[in-house]
Amino acid sequence: MTSAKTRTRYPRGFSLLEVIAALMVLGLFLAPTAELMRSVVQRNEIFRQRGELIPLVEGQQNQLCQWVRNSFQVMKPTMGSFESQGHPELLFESYCLEDPSMGGIPDQLMAVRSVGWHDANGNRQLDKNETFVELWTNVAHATP
């Protein structure tokens, strides 16, 4: 005859209740982290786009200032793209005005403005969700 052995039962894993509790605790920590990561990725994209825009818009603004120094003429708003620099998705609008409401003084001070933006949706307009850079300056009229 064989003696009856007492067998002990060894657990082979976690119970469903333990798994659910662990997932809930993990979810409490990961939900805010996921939102933070999304925000960081979005912010990095904005900084990258501004990094592309700043030197291009500065160049446009410098060209306008030089043109104003040489001619001191009003230039109505004009729009263009930086396609020649390899960025067809980056657009700009520039103008030079003596209008006091824009910061100019007739025959004395010209307000020069350039704004460049990443035209994400391709509508050739600056929309509120698009990254942009805006530069303003004034150029005085040289007296003879």
Side-chain angles (χ1 to χ4, degrees):
M1 290 206 138
T2 61
S3 65
K5 291 185 178 178
T6 53
R7 293 186 177 195
T8 57
R9 188 170 175 191
Y10 295 106
R12 297 189 184 253
F14 298 104
S15 71
L16 181 59
L17 186 60
E18 291 171 325
V19 171
I20 291 173
L23 287 174
M24 287 177 63
V25 170
L26 191 61
L28 288 173
F29 289 109
L30 289 181
T33 305
E35 179 60 29
L36 177 65
M37 287 302 293
R38 187 195 64 76
S39 173
V40 166
V41 167
Q42 184 179 25
R43 186 62 57 185
N44 281 342
E45 179 62 16
I46 290 169
F47 286 143
R48 184 195 64 75
Q49 289 174 354
R50 282 193 181 145
E52 287 178 343
L53 278 169
I54 288 171
L56 296 170
V57 176
E58 281 178 343
Q60 179 68 23
Q61 184 77 347
N62 288 339
Q63 286 177 358
L64 278 175
C65 288
Q66 188 62 43
W67 181 79
V68 169
R69 281 186 206 104
N70 293 336
S71 66
F72 206 79
Q73 294 179 5
V74 170
M75 184 180 86
K76 299 290 183 191
T78 59
M79 196 172 122
S81 77
F82 294 109
E83 188 170 1
S84 62
Q85 288 96 336
H87 296 284
E89 76 284 2
L90 303 180
L91 304 179
F92 69 87
E93 183 178 79
S94 302
Y95 63 77
C96 306
L97 299 173
E98 295 177 295
D99 185 352
S101 68
M102 301 293 182
I105 300 173
D107 296 321
Q108 294 179 18
L109 196 63
M110 187 76 67
V112 181
R113 175 186 178 245
S114 295
V115 60
W117 69 94
H118 184 268
D119 192 25
N121 58 6
N123 69 349
R124 300 190 60 80
Q125 293 180 355
L126 176 58
D127 301 317
K128 79 173 193 179
N129 63 335
E130 293 175 333
T131 304
F132 72 96
V133 172
E134 184 174 22
L135 299 177
W136 287 82
T137 193
N138 290 31
V139 177
H141 189 210
T143 56

